[in-house]
Amino acid sequence: MDIDTPYPNLPPIPRPNEPLEKKRARLVYQSRKRGILETDLLLSTFSKENLQSFDLAQLEEYDKLLDEPDWDIFYWATDKKTVPDRWQNSPVLAMIRQHAKNEKKVVLRMPEL
């Protein structure tokens, strides 16, 4: 474990040759079942609106982002924490940040699985 962070530094589970639709379904599930309600709500509503139209590269970038700690994702998305260099140029994180603004002031609810 890195001394500067309270999060375990576990490597992502390799999923070679995962079919596209299985990847999409897994990411929808992982977006909702994060463990922190704020991040669950943000990512589950984002995934419902976007993952069906994502291509493989976007899905892989989103998958990699989900390996980050929940609170970090939430704070980056809501501009409460500086986005690290590794995510500065991420189109997917930019989309999540835009989604988090909720400019239409929609009442967000957990989507059905």
Side-chain angles (χ1 to χ4, degrees):
M1 182 185 304
D2 187 337
I3 293 176
D4 295 332
T5 179
Y7 307 116
N9 190 12
L10 302 173
I13 297 170
R15 293 180 171 91
N17 306 315
E18 182 179 35
L20 188 62
E21 287 310 311
K22 185 173 182 181
K23 178 185 289 289
R24 209 174 254 124
R26 176 178 57 79
L27 293 175
V28 166
Y29 183 82
Q30 287 180 328
S31 296
R32 181 176 178 139
K33 300 295 185 181
R34 306 287 307 166
I36 296 174
L37 183 59
E38 293 84 349
T39 309
D40 289 353
L41 183 59
L42 175 68
L43 295 179
S44 66
T45 56
F46 174 82
S47 69
K48 180 176 174 86
E49 290 179 15
N50 294 283
L51 292 191
Q52 284 303 315
S53 65
F54 272 17
D55 63 22
L56 181 58
Q58 289 170 308
L59 289 171
E60 288 178 351
E61 182 177 335
Y62 186 70
D63 193 7
K64 187 174 178 183
L65 180 65
L66 293 185
D67 289 332
E68 298 285 355
D70 289 359
W71 280 120
D72 286 347
I73 295 170
F74 183 79
Y75 289 144
W76 299 334
T78 58
D79 292 323
K80 304 292 185 215
K81 201 172 179 184
T82 303
V83 176
D85 290 343
R86 69 185 175 277
W87 290 108
Q88 280 291 325
N89 298 316
S90 166
V92 170
L93 182 55
M95 291 175 72
I96 294 170
R97 294 176 82 194
Q98 185 61 41
H99 177 75
K101 291 179 184 178
N102 193 13
E103 291 174 337
K104 295 179 183 177
K105 305 297 182 209
V106 175
V107 176
L108 300 176
R109 299 182 192 279
M110 289 288 200
E112 295 295 322
L113 281 175

